[in-house]
Amino acid sequence: MMMEQAYQRGVTRACVQTALLLLQHGAESTVVVQMAQRLGIALGVESVECALTANAIVITTLSNQHCITTARKNTDKGINMQMVTEVQRIVIAVEHKLYNLDLAQKKLDSLNPLKYHRGLVVFMIGLSCASFAHLSGGDWLICLITFWASAVAMFVRQELSKHHYNPIIVFAITAFVASLISGISLKYQWGNDPQIALASSVLLLVPGFPLINSLADILKGYVNMGLGRWTIATVLTFGACLGIVLALSVLHITTWGH
């Protein structure tokens, strides 16, 4: 009996770690719950119950009429689909009897998020925002201004995030920097349509993934998680708006119109 309970505790820890890794790196709630349940059942427990909140996970496993419950605090570590995919691979390997509990736990413990070089991220963000400016009808000067505004803003965002500032402050300052640089084109009427540069340079701050996940959570029955994610995305958007308004005030731009 003691051996069975020790094994069940190990399964419970593996399940909650799986759910936590998925939630921390941007998986939607349905995937988090399903992966935890599939792992637990594949490892031999009768059922796995999972409760999610915006900042915590509670897992209960049932085996031989014995329940074990554990909770973990959730801290957001940024969207990373590589981590989500790696966790799913481990669960599938357990289901196919390729991993036992000990090996699955070692694999979960050894996971490290893949991160691109910071310089590459800055360049690609600048290029993508410049591409949006081009698609909106901006000429080469507008695209160049958008590139530099968004690239510098992304660098500032990386520096602020590295020092763990509050996300709303990070969004506000990043939007301020992007709008300040691109707003110069609107102030002095550079390029064929300076408003395009101002609008395109802050697109790196659009919280698209959290908004999509929030809608998916609400439609699939995880209303609390969906509302929590939607609220966070809305607050971050509000922070970006504050930064844009402040930059326009500094440049004495009262309207985006011609």
Side-chain angles (χ1 to χ4, degrees):
M1 181 64 69
M2 292 298 293
M3 288 294 291
E4 289 180 1
Q5 291 185 10
Y7 179 79
Q8 187 182 351
R9 281 195 294 272
V11 173
T12 306
R13 281 194 294 268
C15 289
V16 76
Q17 186 174 355
T18 296
L20 187 61
L21 285 171
L22 291 170
L23 193 60
Q24 285 176 335
H25 291 95
E28 63 177 90
S29 300
T30 304
V31 174
V32 174
V33 173
Q34 286 180 349
M35 287 296 111
Q37 291 174 338
R38 286 170 58 181
L39 179 64
I41 292 171
L43 289 172
V45 298
E46 294 170 16
S47 69
V48 178
E49 301 299 329
C50 182
L52 303 177
T53 67
N55 55 6
I57 295 177
V58 180
I59 291 274
T60 297
T61 59
L62 175 63
S63 181
N64 296 323
Q65 298 184 338
H66 181 258
C67 290
I68 294 180
T69 301
T70 186
R72 295 289 187 276
K73 181 181 179 180
N74 173 48
T75 53
D76 182 41
K77 294 189 176 180
I79 297 164
N80 193 320
M81 290 297 102
Q82 174 253 344
M83 285 292 290
V84 173
T85 303
E86 290 297 328
V87 172
Q88 289 176 321
R89 284 178 177 169
I90 293 171
V91 174
I92 292 171
V94 172
E95 289 181 325
H96 286 81
K97 309 300 181 184
L98 299 176
Y99 294 168
N100 58 12
L101 174 59
D102 292 335
L103 186 54
Q105 187 63 61
K106 288 179 182 177
K107 292 287 185 180
L108 289 170
D109 292 337
S110 65
L111 287 180
N112 284 313
L114 172 66
K115 295 189 177 181
Y116 293 105
H117 189 274
R118 288 183 56 187
L120 178 62
V121 173
V122 168
F123 175 77
M124 293 307 297
I125 288 295
L127 186 61
S128 62
C129 290
S131 299
F132 275 112
H134 176 69
L135 290 173
S136 300
D139 60 12
W140 67 269
L141 182 57
I142 292 296
C143 293
L144 184 63
I145 293 170
T146 303
F147 176 86
W148 283 111
S150 55
V152 172
M154 188 63 202
F155 176 77
V156 171
R157 180 179 178 180
Q158 289 176 338
E159 287 297 312
L160 294 174
S161 298
K162 185 172 71 174
H163 292 89
H164 305 290
Y165 283 98
N166 189 291
I168 191 171
I169 296 175
V170 174
F171 268 59
I173 296 177
T174 304
F176 173 78
V177 172
S179 301
L180 192 65
I181 297 173
S182 60
I184 294 173
S185 64
L186 182 60
K187 185 175 180 66
Y188 297 105
Q189 291 298 309
W190 293 345
N192 64 331
D193 194 350
Q195 299 175 77
I196 293 176
L198 193 59
S200 300
S201 63
V202 293
L203 289 177
L204 70 144
L205 296 172
V206 176
F209 209 94
L211 287 172
I212 293 171
N213 272 349
S214 67
L215 182 60
D217 287 347
I218 291 172
L219 292 176
K220 294 176 182 179
Y222 298 93
V223 179
N224 290 338
M225 282 297 297
L227 291 176
R229 283 174 161 169
W230 179 82
T231 302
I232 291 171
T234 303
V235 170
L236 293 179
T237 304
F238 175 71
C241 292
L242 287 178
I244 295 171
V245 171
L246 182 59
L248 295 178
S249 299
V250 170
L251 293 171
H252 302 292
I253 298 174
T254 57
T255 177
W256 282 24
H258 292 286

